[in-house]
């Protein structure tokens, strides 16, 4: 059950996580995947990441360009102006959500911990 809960939370926050990674500057898919895995504690499968990148691009939140100047062609992703605005909006939503969650969960955990000692 714990793994499912983690996957659900990750799934619900993956958009804002990708936008956050791209806030540092343009990045290609493999590097995005590595940064997400480092931050989220579990790997993001390519079958999850690339459809998400394509959707964010279709929504106008990121743009993709091919770099063909090196031996290995890479598709680079970067935030658009709309993507920057959306990141700020979603980050504010997440902050508010986390504050509500903490106000509910932390007292409950303290209450349960106090009862465990009895």
């Amino acid at each position: 059950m714990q793994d499912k809960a983690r996957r659900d939370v990750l799934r619900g926050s993956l958009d804002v996580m990708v936008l956050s990674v791209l806030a540092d500057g343009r990045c290609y898919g493999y590097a995005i995947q590595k940064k997400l895995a480092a931050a989220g504690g579990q790997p993001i499968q390519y079958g999850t990441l690339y459809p998400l990148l394509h959707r964010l691009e279709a929504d106008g939140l990121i743009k993709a360009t091919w770099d063909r100047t090196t031996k290995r062609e890479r598709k680079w992703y970067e935030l658009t102006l709309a993507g920057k605005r959306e990141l700020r909006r979603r980050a504010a939503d997440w902050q508010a959500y986390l504050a509500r969650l903490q106000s509910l969960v932390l007292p409950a955990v303290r209450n349960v911990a106090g009862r465990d000692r009895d």
Side-chain angles (χ1 to χ4, degrees), residues 25-118:
R26 64 187 217 129
C27 205
Y28 55 93
Y30 180 72
I32 294 170
Q33 182 194 34
K34 291 298 174 194
K35 289 180 182 185
L36 291 173
Q42 70 184 76
I44 307 302
Q45 301 301 315
Y46 291 114
T48 300
L49 178 61
Y50 285 98
L52 170 65
L53 290 169
H54 294 146
R55 184 174 48 77
L56 292 173
E57 185 178 13
D59 291 345
L61 302 179
I62 65 174
K63 74 175 185 174
T65 54
W66 282 98
D67 179 0
R68 294 182 170 99
T69 60
T70 61
K71 275 175 54 173
R72 183 177 182 148
E73 293 181 8
R74 289 201 173 163
K75 192 173 191 179
W76 290 81
Y77 300 91
E78 62 186 302
L79 287 178
T80 62
L81 183 57
K84 291 174 185 178
R85 287 186 197 123
E86 186 66 11
L87 173 58
R88 284 191 294 271
R89 187 189 69 74
R90 290 185 189 193
D93 289 348
W94 263 100
Q95 290 286 15
Y97 172 73
L98 291 174
R100 289 189 305 271
L101 192 61
Q102 284 181 323
S103 72
L104 179 65
V105 172
L106 293 179
V109 169
R110 284 188 211 107
N111 189 16
V112 169
R115 288 183 183 166
D116 284 346
R117 288 186 222 131
D118 297 338

